[in-house]
Amino acid sequence: MIEIRNIGKSYGTKEVLRNISLTLPEKSISAFIGSNGAGKSTLLSLVSRLLHKSGGDIFIDDVRVEDWDNRELAKRLAVLRQSNFMNIRLTVEELVSFGRFPYSQGRLTDEDDAMVEKALSYMKIGDIRHRFLDELSGGQRQMAFIAMVIAQDTHYILLDEPLNNLDIRHSVDMMWVFRGLVDEMGKTVVIVIHDINFVSCYADHIVALRDGTLVAEGGREEIITPPVLERIYGVDIDIREIEGNRICVYYT
């Protein structure tokens, strides 16, 4: 379980997160939503220990995040940032193998190899395993990075805007992958995402931020409503029911 208690984050005199408290449910997709600058990526980075908090506490499985041993935390929590630039030329298979580093420290065992094969198969990218990352499309490259995270075999998977620069087909494919990680593998996925229709259709739990504060949290029935969305985004959003899904219309 991930628990966030009274978390704050400041850069000098600028306060970007204020008094955030929430618990992220197990074996589910939790989506962080909100406008640009709301604090979504900052909060995700604090949970993954990529940033240092200014106040409050974060607990992962009842242990304060700063008390975790680096290697043990990497076996429990995987994170994929917005920017995945790597200044070395790697094949897809080499990249996915990096996910096993917390276990093998670079010396792959048969178990590591099996996990790499499982990740490549799950993402259906075995046919491009020997291609270099710089030869791939944006969608293929993102699939490879997700495979690396799967190979890491952690209970918690944190993803910062993984749909960026993906077309509709790859975005849908990716959301089905995240749904499968929860439903088929029992993972807990936390995702920063802008497309509220993907959130409405795929997420179990929604955390809404605005100007560094927690506006609302809960399930789709509680969050995907015109009054709550207006508080989050500051615009009127109409909701249409389509095949049991709440679809947000905000172009009119």
Side-chain angles (χ1 to χ4, degrees):
M1 180 183 295
I2 297 177
E3 297 179 76
I4 299 168
R5 301 180 187 173
N6 303 314
I7 277 295
K9 177 63 179 176
S10 299
Y11 296 99
T13 59
K14 182 176 176 57
E15 197 174 27
V16 295
L17 287 176
R18 292 184 296 280
N19 198 33
I20 305 291
S21 294
L22 55 96
T23 299
L24 301 177
E26 294 277 300
K27 298 180 181 179
S28 64
I29 296 178
S30 290
F32 289 0
I33 67 171
S35 301
N36 291 337
K40 307 178 298 297
S41 294
T42 299
L43 184 57
L44 195 81
S45 294
L46 292 175
V47 173
S48 59
R49 212 166 66 176
L50 294 175
L51 289 177
H52 295 294
K53 56 188 173 57
S54 301
D57 282 303
I58 296 172
F59 293 85
I60 297 176
D61 296 337
D62 298 319
V63 178
R64 290 171 63 205
V65 68
E66 56 264 47
D67 293 337
W68 275 88
D69 172 78
N70 288 341
R71 186 172 175 182
E72 291 306 311
L73 182 60
K75 295 177 182 178
R76 195 65 181 154
L77 181 150
V79 58
L80 189 62
R81 303 186 191 193
Q82 282 186 54
S83 175
N84 300 316
F85 176 76
M86 301 185 77
N87 198 26
I88 51 177
R89 199 163 193 242
L90 296 173
T91 66
V92 169
E93 185 173 352
E94 288 169 337
L95 174 71
V96 177
S97 297
F98 269 122
R100 300 304 299 167
F101 190 81
Y103 305 89
S104 65
Q105 300 296 293
R107 298 180 179 179
L108 297 182
T109 64
D110 290 343
E111 181 181 356
D112 296 320
D113 289 335
M115 280 303 305
V116 170
E117 290 298 324
K118 180 179 179 180
L120 290 168
S121 175
Y122 193 83
M123 295 303 297
K124 300 177 182 177
I125 55 172
D127 58 328
I128 60 170
R129 65 192 303 154
H130 298 304
R131 291 181 62 185
F132 288 97
L133 294 177
D134 58 6
E135 299 172 345
L136 305 179
S137 69
Q140 289 173 319
R141 193 158 48 244
Q142 192 72 330
M143 290 288 189
F145 276 99
I146 297 296
M148 178 184 69
V149 168
I150 293 172
Q152 196 171 331
D153 194 26
T154 60
H155 180 66
Y156 302 105
I157 298 174
L158 278 56
L159 306 164
D160 194 358
E161 299 193 34
L163 306 186
N164 271 6
N165 303 315
L166 298 186
D167 60 25
I168 293 174
R169 174 199 160 190
H170 283 102
S171 294
V172 171
D173 288 347
M174 199 71 80
M175 292 307 299
W176 273 112
V177 165
F178 302 151
R179 192 70 259 170
L181 291 176
V182 172
D183 298 339
E184 298 167 15
M185 296 188 182
K187 307 292 187 183
T188 298
V189 175
V190 185
I191 178 173
V192 172
I193 183 170
H194 279 289
D195 192 313
I196 54 176
N197 283 324
F198 277 133
V199 172
S200 180
C201 293
Y202 291 94
D204 304 296
H205 186 75
I206 305 169
V207 175
L209 300 174
R210 181 169 182 175
D211 297 327
T213 63
L214 180 64
V215 175
E217 66 164 319
R220 284 166 276 190
E221 295 77 12
E222 301 162 273
I223 306 301
I224 307 300
T225 68
V228 175
L229 293 175
E230 198 281 331
R231 287 169 55 204
I232 298 166
Y233 295 104
V235 297
D236 293 329
I237 297 177
D238 190 22
I239 307 296
R240 310 283 175 88
E241 288 278 348
I242 301 177
E243 296 183 358
N245 292 312
R246 297 186 178 194
I247 303 301
C248 303
V249 180
Y250 44 89
Y251 299 109
T252 58

